[in-house]
Short mmCIF file of all heavy atoms in Angstrom, two decimals:
data_model
loop_
_atom_site.label_atom_id
_atom_site.label_comp_id
_atom_site.label_asym_id
_atom_site.label_seq_id
_atom_site.Cartn_x
_atom_site.Cartn_y
_atom_site.Cartn_z
N LEU A 18 0.86 -1.18 0.00
CA LEU A 18 0.00 0.00 0.00
C LEU A 18 0.90 1.23 0.00
O LEU A 18 1.76 1.38 0.88
CB LEU A 18 -0.89 0.01 1.24
CG LEU A 18 -1.83 1.19 1.40
CD1 LEU A 18 -2.92 1.16 0.34
CD2 LEU A 18 -2.44 1.21 2.79
N LEU A 19 0.73 2.10 -0.99
CA LEU A 19 1.47 3.36 -1.03
C LEU A 19 0.81 4.35 -0.08
O LEU A 19 -0.40 4.59 -0.16
CB LEU A 19 1.47 3.93 -2.45
CG LEU A 19 2.39 3.25 -3.46
CD1 LEU A 19 2.07 3.72 -4.88
CD2 LEU A 19 3.85 3.55 -3.13
N ILE A 20 1.60 4.93 0.81
CA ILE A 20 1.08 5.91 1.76
C ILE A 20 1.79 7.25 1.54
O ILE A 20 2.71 7.35 0.74
CB ILE A 20 1.25 5.45 3.22
CG1 ILE A 20 2.74 5.28 3.55
CG2 ILE A 20 0.50 4.14 3.46
CD1 ILE A 20 3.03 5.09 5.03
N ASP A 21 1.37 8.27 2.28
CA ASP A 21 2.00 9.59 2.27
C ASP A 21 1.92 10.22 0.88
O ASP A 21 2.92 10.35 0.18
CB ASP A 21 3.46 9.47 2.74
CG ASP A 21 4.05 10.84 3.09
OD1 ASP A 21 3.31 11.84 3.01
OD2 ASP A 21 5.24 10.90 3.43
N TRP A 22 0.73 10.67 0.52
CA TRP A 22 0.45 11.21 -0.81
C TRP A 22 0.55 12.73 -0.87
O TRP A 22 0.05 13.35 -1.80
CB TRP A 22 -0.94 10.76 -1.26
CG TRP A 22 -1.00 9.31 -1.60
CD1 TRP A 22 -1.11 8.26 -0.72
CD2 TRP A 22 -0.95 8.73 -2.91
NE1 TRP A 22 -1.11 7.07 -1.41
CE2 TRP A 22 -1.02 7.33 -2.76
CE3 TRP A 22 -0.84 9.28 -4.18
CZ2 TRP A 22 -0.99 6.46 -3.84
CZ3 TRP A 22 -0.81 8.41 -5.27
CH2 TRP A 22 -0.89 7.02 -5.09
N ASP A 23 1.23 13.35 0.10
CA ASP A 23 1.24 14.81 0.12
C ASP A 23 2.08 15.42 -0.99
O ASP A 23 2.02 16.63 -1.22
CB ASP A 23 1.71 15.33 1.48
CG ASP A 23 3.12 14.89 1.84
OD1 ASP A 23 3.46 13.73 1.58
OD2 ASP A 23 3.87 15.72 2.38
N LEU A 24 2.88 14.61 -1.71
CA LEU A 24 3.66 15.14 -2.84
C LEU A 24 3.07 14.73 -4.18
O LEU A 24 3.76 14.78 -5.21
CB LEU A 24 5.12 14.69 -2.73
CG LEU A 24 5.87 15.23 -1.51
CD1 LEU A 24 7.31 14.74 -1.51
CD2 LEU A 24 5.83 16.75 -1.47
N LEU A 25 1.80 14.34 -4.18
CA LEU A 25 1.12 14.00 -5.43
C LEU A 25 1.30 15.15 -6.41
O LEU A 25 1.19 16.33 -6.05
CB LEU A 25 -0.36 13.76 -5.16
CG LEU A 25 -1.21 13.38 -6.39
CD1 LEU A 25 -2.26 12.35 -5.98
CD2 LEU A 25 -1.89 14.59 -7.00
N CYS A 26 1.60 14.80 -7.65
CA CYS A 26 1.79 15.82 -8.68
C CYS A 26 1.51 15.20 -10.04
O CYS A 26 1.17 14.02 -10.14
CB CYS A 26 3.21 16.38 -8.62
SG CYS A 26 4.51 15.16 -8.90
N VAL A 27 1.62 15.99 -11.07
CA VAL A 27 1.46 15.51 -12.44
C VAL A 27 2.80 15.73 -13.14
O VAL A 27 3.27 16.86 -13.25
CB VAL A 27 0.32 16.25 -13.16
CG1 VAL A 27 0.19 15.76 -14.58
CG2 VAL A 27 -1.00 16.05 -12.41
N ALA A 28 3.42 14.62 -13.55
CA ALA A 28 4.79 14.66 -14.10
C ALA A 28 5.01 13.43 -14.96
O ALA A 28 4.16 12.53 -15.00
CB ALA A 28 5.79 14.70 -12.94
N PRO A 29 6.16 13.33 -15.63
CA PRO A 29 6.47 12.09 -16.36
C PRO A 29 6.57 10.92 -15.39
O PRO A 29 6.89 11.09 -14.21
CB PRO A 29 7.84 12.39 -16.99
CG PRO A 29 7.89 13.86 -17.09
CD PRO A 29 7.18 14.37 -15.86
N ARG A 30 6.35 9.72 -15.87
CA ARG A 30 6.38 8.54 -15.01
C ARG A 30 7.73 8.34 -14.34
O ARG A 30 7.82 7.78 -13.25
CB ARG A 30 5.97 7.29 -15.80
CG ARG A 30 6.84 7.01 -17.01
CD ARG A 30 6.28 5.84 -17.79
NE ARG A 30 6.94 5.69 -19.08
CZ ARG A 30 6.73 4.67 -19.90
NH1 ARG A 30 5.88 3.72 -19.57
NH2 ARG A 30 7.36 4.59 -21.05
N GLY A 31 8.78 8.85 -14.97
CA GLY A 31 10.10 8.73 -14.37
C GLY A 31 10.23 9.44 -13.03
O GLY A 31 11.11 9.12 -12.23
N TRP A 32 9.33 10.40 -12.77
CA TRP A 32 9.34 11.11 -11.48
C TRP A 32 9.17 10.12 -10.33
O TRP A 32 9.83 10.25 -9.30
CB TRP A 32 8.22 12.14 -11.48
CG TRP A 32 8.20 13.03 -10.28
CD1 TRP A 32 7.45 12.89 -9.15
CD2 TRP A 32 8.99 14.22 -10.09
NE1 TRP A 32 7.70 13.91 -8.28
CE2 TRP A 32 8.64 14.74 -8.83
CE3 TRP A 32 9.94 14.87 -10.86
CZ2 TRP A 32 9.22 15.90 -8.32
CZ3 TRP A 32 10.52 16.03 -10.35
CH2 TRP A 32 10.16 16.53 -9.09
N ASP A 33 8.30 9.13 -10.51
CA ASP A 33 8.07 8.15 -9.46
C ASP A 33 9.12 7.04 -9.45
O ASP A 33 9.26 6.33 -8.45
CB ASP A 33 6.67 7.53 -9.59
CG ASP A 33 5.60 8.36 -8.90
OD1 ASP A 33 5.95 9.22 -8.06
OD2 ASP A 33 4.41 8.14 -9.19
N HIS A 34 9.83 6.87 -10.53
CA HIS A 34 10.91 5.87 -10.56
C HIS A 34 12.18 6.43 -9.92
O HIS A 34 13.00 5.67 -9.37
CB HIS A 34 11.20 5.46 -12.00
CG HIS A 34 10.20 4.52 -12.57
ND1 HIS A 34 10.51 3.21 -12.89
CD2 HIS A 34 8.89 4.68 -12.89
CE1 HIS A 34 9.44 2.61 -13.38
NE2 HIS A 34 8.44 3.48 -13.38
N ALA A 35 12.37 7.73 -9.99
CA ALA A 35 13.63 8.36 -9.62
C ALA A 35 14.13 8.01 -8.21
O ALA A 35 15.31 7.70 -8.05
CB ALA A 35 13.52 9.88 -9.78
N PRO A 36 13.29 8.03 -7.16
CA PRO A 36 13.83 7.74 -5.83
C PRO A 36 14.46 6.35 -5.73
O PRO A 36 15.52 6.19 -5.12
CB PRO A 36 12.60 7.85 -4.91
CG PRO A 36 11.61 8.65 -5.66
CD PRO A 36 11.87 8.38 -7.11
N MET A 37 13.84 5.38 -6.36
CA MET A 37 14.34 4.01 -6.25
C MET A 37 15.53 3.75 -7.18
O MET A 37 16.28 2.80 -6.97
CB MET A 37 13.22 3.02 -6.53
CG MET A 37 12.09 3.08 -5.51
SD MET A 37 12.67 2.92 -3.80
CE MET A 37 13.38 1.27 -3.82
N MET A 38 15.72 4.59 -8.18
CA MET A 38 16.84 4.41 -9.09
C MET A 38 18.18 4.60 -8.38
O MET A 38 19.20 4.06 -8.81
CB MET A 38 16.71 5.38 -10.27
CG MET A 38 15.60 4.99 -11.24
SD MET A 38 15.25 6.28 -12.48
CE MET A 38 16.79 6.35 -13.40
N THR A 39 18.20 5.40 -7.30
CA THR A 39 19.44 5.63 -6.56
C THR A 39 19.39 5.03 -5.15
O THR A 39 20.29 5.28 -4.35
CB THR A 39 19.72 7.14 -6.45
OG1 THR A 39 18.64 7.78 -5.74
CG2 THR A 39 19.89 7.78 -7.83
N TRP A 40 18.37 4.27 -4.86
CA TRP A 40 18.14 3.79 -3.48
C TRP A 40 19.30 2.94 -2.97
O TRP A 40 19.78 3.14 -1.84
CB TRP A 40 16.83 3.03 -3.40
CG TRP A 40 16.42 2.78 -1.99
CD1 TRP A 40 16.44 1.59 -1.31
CD2 TRP A 40 15.96 3.75 -1.05
NE1 TRP A 40 16.02 1.77 -0.02
CE2 TRP A 40 15.72 3.09 0.16
CE3 TRP A 40 15.73 5.13 -1.13
CZ2 TRP A 40 15.25 3.75 1.29
CZ3 TRP A 40 15.27 5.79 0.00
CH2 TRP A 40 15.03 5.10 1.20
N ALA A 41 19.75 1.99 -3.76
CA ALA A 41 20.84 1.11 -3.30
C ALA A 41 22.17 1.86 -3.27
O ALA A 41 22.91 1.80 -2.27
CB ALA A 41 20.93 -0.13 -4.20
N GLU A 42 22.46 2.58 -4.33
CA GLU A 42 23.76 3.23 -4.46
C GLU A 42 23.97 4.34 -3.44
O GLU A 42 25.01 4.41 -2.78
CB GLU A 42 23.90 3.81 -5.87
CG GLU A 42 25.17 4.65 -6.06
CD GLU A 42 25.10 5.54 -7.28
OE1 GLU A 42 24.03 5.62 -7.91
OE2 GLU A 42 26.10 6.19 -7.59
N ARG A 43 23.01 5.24 -3.31
CA ARG A 43 23.20 6.42 -2.46
C ARG A 43 22.67 6.25 -1.05
O ARG A 43 23.21 6.83 -0.11
CB ARG A 43 22.53 7.65 -3.10
CG ARG A 43 23.32 8.38 -4.13
CD ARG A 43 24.62 9.01 -3.60
NE ARG A 43 25.72 8.07 -3.64
CZ ARG A 43 26.59 7.86 -2.67
NH1 ARG A 43 26.53 8.52 -1.56
NH2 ARG A 43 27.55 6.98 -2.78
N TRP A 44 21.57 5.51 -0.89
CA TRP A 44 20.92 5.44 0.41
C TRP A 44 21.19 4.13 1.15
O TRP A 44 20.65 3.91 2.23
CB TRP A 44 19.42 5.67 0.26
CG TRP A 44 19.10 7.01 -0.32
CD1 TRP A 44 18.87 7.30 -1.64
CD2 TRP A 44 19.02 8.26 0.37
NE1 TRP A 44 18.63 8.65 -1.80
CE2 TRP A 44 18.71 9.26 -0.59
CE3 TRP A 44 19.16 8.62 1.71
CZ2 TRP A 44 18.56 10.60 -0.24
CZ3 TRP A 44 19.00 9.97 2.05
CH2 TRP A 44 18.71 10.94 1.09
N GLY A 45 22.00 3.27 0.54
CA GLY A 45 22.34 2.02 1.20
C GLY A 45 21.22 1.00 1.23
O GLY A 45 21.23 0.08 2.04
N GLY A 46 20.26 1.15 0.34
CA GLY A 46 19.14 0.21 0.29
C GLY A 46 19.55 -1.12 -0.33
O GLY A 46 20.66 -1.27 -0.86
N GLU A 47 18.64 -2.04 -0.27
CA GLU A 47 18.90 -3.38 -0.79
C GLU A 47 19.12 -3.34 -2.31
O GLU A 47 18.34 -2.74 -3.04
CB GLU A 47 17.72 -4.30 -0.46
CG GLU A 47 17.93 -5.74 -0.83
CD GLU A 47 16.74 -6.61 -0.48
OE1 GLU A 47 15.87 -6.16 0.28
OE2 GLU A 47 16.68 -7.74 -0.99
N VAL A 48 20.18 -3.98 -2.74
CA VAL A 48 20.50 -4.04 -4.17
C VAL A 48 19.42 -4.86 -4.88
O VAL A 48 18.97 -5.89 -4.39
CB VAL A 48 21.89 -4.68 -4.39
CG1 VAL A 48 22.16 -4.88 -5.87
CG2 VAL A 48 22.97 -3.80 -3.76
N GLY A 49 18.99 -4.38 -6.04
CA GLY A 49 18.04 -5.13 -6.86
C GLY A 49 16.59 -4.74 -6.70
O GLY A 49 15.75 -5.18 -7.48
N VAL A 50 16.26 -3.89 -5.70
CA VAL A 50 14.85 -3.57 -5.49
C VAL A 50 14.29 -2.75 -6.65
O VAL A 50 13.12 -2.93 -7.03
CB VAL A 50 14.58 -2.87 -4.14
CG1 VAL A 50 14.84 -3.81 -2.98
CG2 VAL A 50 15.37 -1.60 -4.00
N TYR A 51 15.12 -1.87 -7.23
CA TYR A 51 14.59 -1.12 -8.37
C TYR A 51 14.33 -2.05 -9.55
O TYR A 51 13.32 -1.89 -10.25
CB TYR A 51 15.50 0.04 -8.79
CG TYR A 51 14.92 0.79 -9.96
CD1 TYR A 51 13.68 1.44 -9.83
CD2 TYR A 51 15.55 0.81 -11.20
CE1 TYR A 51 13.10 2.10 -10.91
CE2 TYR A 51 14.98 1.48 -12.28
CZ TYR A 51 13.76 2.12 -12.13
OH TYR A 51 13.18 2.76 -13.20
#
């Protein structure tokens, strides 16, 4: 379930992909989740 919709906007679909594209590399997240 996606929560916290206060940044809802209208943008290219890549806007929602962007956070996870750097999740492992920059934020130390699990590799492969993107």
Side-chain angles (χ1 to χ4, degrees):
L18 179 69
L19 285 168
I20 62 169
D21 195 3
W22 288 80
D23 61 319
L24 296 181
L25 181 143
C26 61
V27 179
R30 58 185 170 173
W32 186 263
D33 275 343
H34 283 247
M37 296 307 298
M38 288 170 64
T39 61
W40 192 252
E42 174 197 7
R43 276 297 87 226
W44 299 95
E47 186 180 346
V48 174
V50 293
Y51 180 62

